[in-house]
Amino acid sequence: MEEEKFVDAARAFEFRGSRADLMAAGQAWYSADSLSRSRAAYLSATQGRDGGIIVDSLTGLAYHKIGVTYYDEYNDARASHYYRRAIKIRDQVFSSPHNDRAKSRNNLATILRFLGNPDSAALMNREAIELYEKIEHPDTLNWLRSLIELSNIAYDLKDFQLANSASASAVNLLDTYGKAGNYDSFLGLYYSARINLKFRQLEKVKRLARRALALAEAEQNISWQADAINLLAGAYKANEEPEAAKREYQRALNLLLSKSSSQKELGPLYANLADMAAEDKNYRQALDYSQKARSIFGEHDPALLPNQMRMEGIYLFRSGNHTAALNRFNETLRLLDIPGSRNENGLVSFPPDSLTTNFEEAVNTLGNRAELLIDQNRPDEALVDYDALFHILDLLRAGVKSDASRQYLSSNLRPYFDQAIALLLELYREDPAEDIAWRALSLSERAKAYSLVAALQRSENEMPQREAELRRRIAELERLAPQDASILPQLEAARLQLDRLLRTREVDLAAFETRLDRQQLTQLIQTTQADLIAYHLDTTSGVFFHLSPSGKLSLFPIAQGTLDQLTKDWLAAIEQSAYRKKSLRPIPEQEELDRVFLQLGRQLSQALLPMSGENTSLGNRLIIIPDGALHFLPFAALPLGQAPPMPVTYGDLKYLQTGRTLQYTYSAIFLLAQQQLSNREYEHDLLAFAPTFRGASTNNQRGSRALPGLQPLRHNRPEVEAISSLIPDALSFYDEEANRQQFLNLIGKSKVVHLSSHGMVNASDPNLSFIAFSQLGDSLEVEEMLYFNDLYALPLNTELAVLSACETNLGTYVPGENVLSLASAFTAAGARSTLTTLWRVNDRATKELMVQFYEELAAGSSRAEALAAAQASHRDDAEFAHPYYWSALTLYGEAGPLALKKAAPRNYTYWLIPLLLALAAIGWRRLRARAKDQ
């Protein structure tokens, strides 16, 4: 009866015939479920009496409505066509942001995702969100849907930072306006909890999941309840609370079974229960659950089938059934339906470049299968899988725009690099062929500093003003958000804006070579006559690479088991055994401290320099590529040779740096990329700052440049005055003039930047690490801080950045990337080399060392030579001979000389003649005095 009323109404509207009536007829036919007649009415409403298309808002609405009818019929191609026509008309009609323009884009995004075009879908969502942000009275429901859709797409594309920003903005919109229905509200909370689970923000996951669960219970929707409980269980599992996780999974399962829910809803729960059973090594039960899940996915949700097939392969592999496991991995790759797939020697393979979706599933399947092939003693086939895997990883990393997303990918997939390198080490032990060594080094290089290589490219391209402003805004909000949760919505909105901006200004990171060029590296090492030593460490073992000036590459195993702890203990021993001139401790106590320093140091030397004869194979120039905890190790201070008699004279010890220069780099690929950078022109040779601090003075440990109170530094002004006198073309700022704004005004204009100041590293949040400029009171003036994340928006562009402050080379280590330190941030901002510190440095010792460094630099020495000479001079001085006072300084990046302007020759005439006359007068008086005595 209801349908007849709609049909009658539609006919009546059509009889009246105006455009508005035709639109009403189209809606009536739609309500009567007559979609073809609905389209005909809408289409008629777009035309004038002459049959031409009328460009107005009514036509835009009609095309949009036609798109909806095709969407309802699952005809996505035709729906896409009409949504595009609606967008074209609405953009012509509304010159400013309008809800209608945004809504058509939002609907088109949904269609494009169904058509398998996620990148295009994300672009439409970004445009819709940007429009909603600018509308005075936005359609908040469709704005919310655009954010949810973008979060979902970004999650599938593995751009997790974008997914997090979009979902967080969606939750904020819910909390601000609160006008969405329960379904949209649930989706917003669910997707936000899901992405926070990826980033292991587990308390936030629990809060969001419980909010979603409350909505589901209010709606009495069993499926939603199960989904929310599933996420809650995932948080418990990630927090290593297995019993709580199992309880929640079982709770969700019981809930669904009690209400006779559809099989589709049971699949994810069976999959999670299978994983929990496997963690308990109950593989029979795991396989039972998995097969139930796989059966359900095969019938109701095929997109989830490949992952479950792979998980089943893992369970079979762990249980020892290798044949069945291999079959499951092969079947997983078949299910991914990758173009060009083929079967060779019982293994499904494919060209990695043909992959357009399911990147992560393909990567994990190849990694799991490679591990199985190693176990089956099929190393060559395992390496083929690893090669394909790493190629896909490069595609993934090049496809995301944020450093956070790249770091997530690099860190999560680093274990595959570790496994492949461990395999190559075993092959090298059996056959020490140099090609194997190069293959291992190349893989190690691809597992390091990817984001820094991307930043290197970014620093070569001038950053648009809008991007720089957004990055500065984001940097400020990132620091404020941990203390003020109300800042988070602004932060995520700014991140979304930056993402949109970067998408419109595509920079092809893939064009930056991510593979090691053997010929280029060999040529560089031969030209510089340097020894390159590189490390690759995993959780249990490691590899030492040595590339000699002759071009020969060797590799050696490292016992990594205790290396992290040994490094920490030795660093503590350096500090505990330190003294100036003469120890004031009782002799037995000092000797014991010396013994510990030598014992631990020699253990590290033997572990980290495994070539025969310790350092006899090394020349007088070293390039060091550290990994893991070794980023924090002062290689220069490693003791060599026989243990000396007690008491130890630290100035007489033989160290790794004795007679040689040391230079660090984040990776060989990064080092080679630096060689390709264009030459720069600078207005000045030196830009130096000696800020003033007026905090309450405290007793610093050994007079260190430590942070508490930002107390005055006694030696930073004399330090800058002395080095400025050595570099004629210098701009130096002291006291109040050494402020942050002065620095920002002059960055990029000087060959060398020198900051003699306070510094602080925040290990838990690198964004809060900073270098301080002048502080004029007791309270901390945050506007005079240069923070870690500020640097990414700055065009620093300098040949050498010297951070004469505490711990500027310390930070958080990200596996697969590098240390997030002030040193690496200055590098990302465009510094071609950095001179930084590993611990709280002594103010006076640093001042004298810096002056000697610049004396050498001004005399034409290379950066590495200047540092080595300055540190050697300290070792010769009894007051600062202990490594604590000289070995904290580390040089990263370019190590060659700097072309500095020479001081004008002095005119000695003005003072030489008066001096000679004075000496003559003195001599004459003495002769007169003698004559008188006689």
Side-chain angles (χ1 to χ4, degrees):
M1 191 69 185
E2 191 75 18
E3 184 176 325
E4 290 179 6
K5 289 181 179 179
F6 284 124
V7 170
D8 290 342
R11 286 172 175 157
F13 283 127
E14 284 180 331
F15 179 78
R16 293 169 62 175
S18 73
R19 293 179 67 214
D21 288 325
L22 289 171
M23 291 295 296
Q27 186 59 47
W29 285 122
Y30 182 83
S31 299
D33 206 23
S34 180
L35 300 184
S36 60
R37 299 198 66 170
S38 172
R39 284 193 288 272
Y42 285 138
L43 201 57
S44 297
T46 68
Q47 299 169 354
R49 294 176 183 271
D50 59 355
I53 301 299
I54 300 172
V55 179
D56 64 3
S57 60
L58 204 63
T59 296
L61 177 61
Y63 283 145
H64 183 94
K65 293 282 190 180
I66 293 171
V68 172
T69 66
Y70 279 119
Y71 172 81
D72 288 348
E73 289 181 340
Y74 300 96
N75 190 339
D76 295 329
R78 295 300 294 166
S80 168
H81 172 75
Y82 278 97
Y83 283 136
R84 290 182 191 278
R85 294 184 73 174
I87 290 170
K88 183 177 179 181
I89 293 292
R90 286 174 160 180
D91 284 355
Q92 288 179 263
V93 172
F94 304 110
S95 58
S96 58
H98 193 280
N99 282 314
D100 289 351
R101 292 177 63 193
K103 187 174 182 180
S104 291
R105 283 170 166 81
N106 184 30
N107 285 26
L108 177 58
T110 302
I111 294 298
L112 290 171
R113 184 163 64 87
F114 291 150
L115 288 171
N117 299 313
D119 290 311
S120 299
L123 177 62
M124 284 297 105
N125 280 128
R126 289 184 181 92
E127 290 183 5
I129 292 164
E130 185 175 18
L131 287 166
Y132 284 128
E133 288 173 349
K134 296 176 179 177
I135 297 170
E136 185 176 358
H137 300 292
D139 178 351
T140 53
L141 177 58
N142 280 298
W143 186 1
L144 173 68
R145 288 170 177 170
S146 292
L147 288 165
I148 291 171
E149 184 76 5
L150 181 59
S151 175
N152 201 21
I153 293 169
Y155 188 94
D156 290 343
L157 292 173
K158 311 308 171 191
D159 194 342
F160 296 122
Q161 180 60 68
L162 175 59
N164 186 54
S165 295
S167 64
S169 295
V171 172
N172 175 63
L173 205 61
L174 276 174
D175 294 340
T176 303
Y177 292 96
K179 295 179 182 178
N182 282 346
Y183 175 72
D184 294 297
S185 299
F186 178 83
L187 280 184
L189 294 167
Y190 176 85
Y191 286 137
S192 188
R194 182 180 66 166
I195 187 60
N196 276 285
L197 189 56
K198 277 286 183 185
F199 284 114
R200 298 186 64 82
Q201 299 295 313
L202 303 182
E203 290 306 313
K204 190 179 288 187
V205 174
K206 291 175 185 177
R207 288 198 303 272
L208 291 164
R210 286 177 180 132
R211 285 182 64 185
L213 180 58
L215 270 177
E217 289 171 342
E219 192 75 11
Q220 295 185 341
N221 189 307
I222 299 300
S223 299
W224 295 3
Q225 290 178 51
D227 286 341
I229 294 169
N230 206 13
L231 276 175
L232 196 57
Y236 284 123
K237 180 183 174 186
N239 203 38
E240 297 182 359
E241 300 178 70
E243 295 307 315
K246 279 187 265 189
R247 182 185 67 242
E248 294 299 329
Y249 284 136
Q250 194 63 52
R251 174 187 168 196
L253 181 63
N254 293 341
L255 194 63
L256 290 174
L257 291 173
S258 68
K259 299 297 181 180
S260 302
S261 300
S262 72
Q263 287 289 300
K264 178 180 179 180
E265 295 161 342
L266 294 170
L269 283 168
Y270 283 131
N272 286 323
L273 286 167
D275 209 31
M276 295 303 298
E279 289 196 6
D280 290 338
K281 295 184 170 53
N282 188 344
Y283 297 116
R284 183 184 293 266
Q285 186 180 57
L287 287 167
D288 286 343
Y289 278 133
S290 180
Q291 285 163 8
K292 287 180 180 178
R294 183 156 58 87
S295 174
I296 292 168
F297 293 151
E299 184 176 353
H300 299 285
D301 205 343
L304 297 178
L305 188 55
N307 181 66
Q308 199 56 43
M309 187 70 74
R310 180 179 67 84
M311 295 306 299
E312 210 165 289
I314 293 173
Y315 306 150
L316 288 163
F317 179 26
R318 290 177 184 171
S319 67
N321 191 342
H322 290 187
T323 302
L326 184 58
N327 288 337
R328 295 296 194 282
F329 294 141
N330 282 329
E331 186 58 29
T332 301
L333 294 175
R334 289 192 194 95
L335 288 169
L336 295 178
D337 196 24
I338 304 167
S341 295
R342 57 192 180 278
N343 196 313
E344 295 179 355
N345 301 321
L347 300 175
V348 174
S349 62
F350 58 91
D353 286 322
S354 66
L355 199 64
T356 56
T357 59
N358 297 309
F359 289 95
E360 192 172 23
E361 196 58 58
V363 162
N364 288 326
T365 305
L366 289 169
N368 296 146
R369 190 173 73 177
E371 189 178 356
L372 186 150
L373 292 169
I374 293 170
D375 210 58
Q376 291 185 328
N377 197 27
R378 299 165 68 178
D380 292 339
E381 292 162 306
L383 288 171
V384 170
D385 276 358
Y386 281 127
D387 284 342
L389 184 163
F390 299 137
H391 187 91
I392 297 169
L393 172 59
D394 284 344
L395 295 175
L396 269 173
R397 292 191 292 196
V400 298
K401 296 299 175 187
S402 74
D403 287 337
S405 293
R406 288 191 202 102
Q407 288 163 7
Y408 177 88
L409 291 168
S410 296
S411 181
N412 265 32
L413 300 178
R414 167 70 186 247
Y416 291 132
F417 285 102
D418 297 341
Q419 293 164 15
I421 290 167
L423 171 59
L424 288 164
L425 177 61
E426 288 302 314
L427 295 176
Y428 184 82
R429 282 170 163 167
E430 297 171 9
D431 174 19
E434 205 165 352
D435 284 347
I436 297 176
W438 276 102
R439 194 169 182 180
L441 178 60
S442 180
L443 287 183
S444 178
E445 284 294 307
R446 290 169 75 182
K448 293 174 183 171
Y450 182 93
S451 293
L452 267 186
V453 175
L456 194 67
Q457 182 189 24
R458 187 171 63 215
S459 69
E460 278 293 280
N461 296 285
E462 186 175 350
M463 186 181 292
Q465 182 179 353
R466 177 58 179 153
E467 181 183 341
E469 289 171 354
L470 266 176
R471 288 186 182 276
R472 284 194 289 271
R473 175 66 174 152
I474 289 168
E476 180 184 5
L477 293 171
E478 283 176 338
R479 295 192 297 272
L480 296 174
Q483 286 78 41
D484 185 356
S486 66
I487 297 293
L488 282 171
Q490 299 174 52
L491 171 60
E492 302 306 346
R495 284 173 172 165
L496 286 172
Q497 290 174 40
L498 179 61
D499 173 78
R500 288 197 299 270
L501 188 65
L502 292 176
R503 295 288 168 175
T504 61
R505 192 180 67 85
E506 291 283 351
V507 176
D508 186 12
L509 293 180
F512 222 106
E513 187 54 64
T514 59
R515 302 192 185 202
L516 182 63
D517 189 312
R518 174 176 176 176
Q519 184 177 354
Q520 282 187 14
L521 182 60
T522 303
Q523 184 176 352
L524 175 65
I525 294 302
Q526 289 175 339
T527 302
T528 57
Q529 284 297 289
D531 285 90
L532 183 141
I533 59 176
Y535 298 88
H536 187 98
L537 306 179
D538 60 29
T539 54
T540 59
S541 61
V543 181
F544 169 83
F545 299 92
H546 174 218
L547 179 59
S548 70
S550 67
K552 178 176 173 54
L553 178 66
S554 306
L555 57 87
F556 303 84
I558 296 176
Q560 154 65 350
T562 60
L563 200 55
D564 288 3
Q565 190 59 49
L566 188 58
T567 299
K568 292 176 185 176
D569 292 345
W570 188 56
L571 288 170
I574 291 175
E575 182 176 0
Q576 292 163 7
S577 63
Y579 60 86
R580 288 167 57 177
K581 285 188 179 177
K582 184 178 180 180
S583 175
L584 300 180
R585 303 183 185 97
I587 292 175
E589 181 183 343
Q590 183 61 50
E591 288 187 353
E592 179 57 27
L593 293 171
D594 294 343
R595 228 185 316 271
V596 172
F597 166 82
L598 287 170
Q599 179 185 352
L600 297 177
R602 285 179 56 76
Q603 287 180 35
L604 279 168
S605 296
Q606 291 163 5
L608 298 177
L609 303 170
M611 309 91 73
S612 60
E614 237 175 19
N615 72 318
T616 54
S617 303
L618 299 176
N620 60 9
R621 180 176 179 185
L622 287 187
I623 300 174
I624 302 170
I625 304 174
D627 194 24
L630 301 185
H631 282 283
F632 313 119
L633 186 78
F635 278 81
L638 286 172
L640 304 176
Q642 297 300 314
M646 295 293 163
V648 173
T649 304
Y650 281 93
D652 294 339
L653 287 181
K654 185 178 182 181
Y655 300 96
L656 180 61
Q657 194 195 51
T658 304
R660 58 172 60 92
T661 66
L662 270 61
Q663 163 195 0
Y664 296 78
T665 186
Y666 296 101
S667 74
I669 292 174
F670 185 80
L671 181 67
L672 291 174
Q674 283 192 309
Q675 308 302 308
Q676 308 302 317
L677 297 177
S678 55
N679 292 326
R680 297 169 177 160
E681 297 294 329
Y682 299 96
E683 294 180 20
H684 305 283
D685 278 348
L686 174 67
L687 174 64
F689 289 80
T692 188
F693 302 101
R694 297 177 181 172
S697 182
T698 59
N699 291 324
N700 275 353
Q701 184 181 29
R702 300 192 185 91
S704 66
R705 293 187 180 186
L707 180 67
L710 290 185
Q711 64 270 21
L713 294 170
R714 290 172 53 200
H715 297 285
N716 72 328
R717 179 174 184 128
E719 175 184 312
V720 169
E721 287 175 339
I723 65 175
S724 297
S725 71
L726 296 167
I727 312 294
D729 186 12
L731 276 179
S732 304
F733 296 93
Y734 307 95
D735 304 328
E736 291 88 343
E737 289 188 349
N739 57 62
R740 186 176 185 269
Q741 191 56 52
Q742 195 80 265
F743 174 81
L744 295 177
N745 291 342
L746 295 168
I747 54 172
K749 297 180 180 180
S750 64
K751 193 166 290 184
V752 180
V753 171
H754 184 100
L755 302 178
S756 182
S757 181
H758 280 293
M760 190 202 79
V761 170
N762 189 310
S764 60
D765 186 354
N767 290 331
L768 300 180
S769 301
F770 65 77
I771 289 280
F773 288 88
S774 284
Q775 304 277 308
L776 305 182
D778 283 333
S779 60
L780 207 62
E781 298 175 34
V782 294
E783 64 273 12
E784 288 300 322
M785 306 297 191
L786 182 68
Y787 286 93
F788 170 87
N789 58 353
D790 285 329
L791 288 159
Y792 286 86
L794 299 180
L796 187 63
N797 298 336
T798 188
E799 297 299 316
L800 172 63
V802 180
L803 308 184
S804 183
C806 298
E807 302 173 335
T808 44
N809 200 35
L810 293 185
T812 303
Y813 171 64
V814 179
E817 287 286 349
N818 52 271
V819 174
L820 302 182
S821 65
L822 287 166
S824 65
F826 268 81
T827 301
R832 294 187 175 179
S833 59
T834 59
L835 185 59
T836 53
T837 59
L838 287 169
W839 54 74
R840 293 180 176 181
V841 291
N842 178 274
D843 191 19
R844 182 182 154 205
T846 302
K847 175 250 179 184
E848 294 187 10
L849 198 150
M850 286 296 177
V851 172
Q852 290 170 318
F853 170 75
Y854 279 96
E855 284 176 350
E856 296 289 335
L857 207 59
S861 296
S862 71
R863 280 162 272 193
E865 290 167 343
L867 178 60
Q871 291 177 316
S873 178
H874 261 38
R875 290 197 296 273
D876 293 338
D877 180 348
E879 185 168 8
F880 297 125
H882 193 282
Y884 175 83
Y885 296 102
W886 56 264
S887 66
L889 282 171
T890 53
L891 177 69
Y892 266 82
E894 290 282 352
L898 292 171
L900 302 173
K901 298 179 182 70
K902 300 293 183 183
R906 294 184 180 179
N907 188 340
Y908 295 97
T909 307
Y910 297 108
W911 59 267
L912 183 58
I913 293 174
L915 177 60
L916 291 173
L917 290 173
L919 290 173
I922 292 170
W924 176 250
R925 282 198 298 270
R926 286 181 178 175
L927 286 173
R928 291 276 308 256
R930 276 185 195 169
K932 189 174 180 180
D933 290 341
Q934 291 174 354

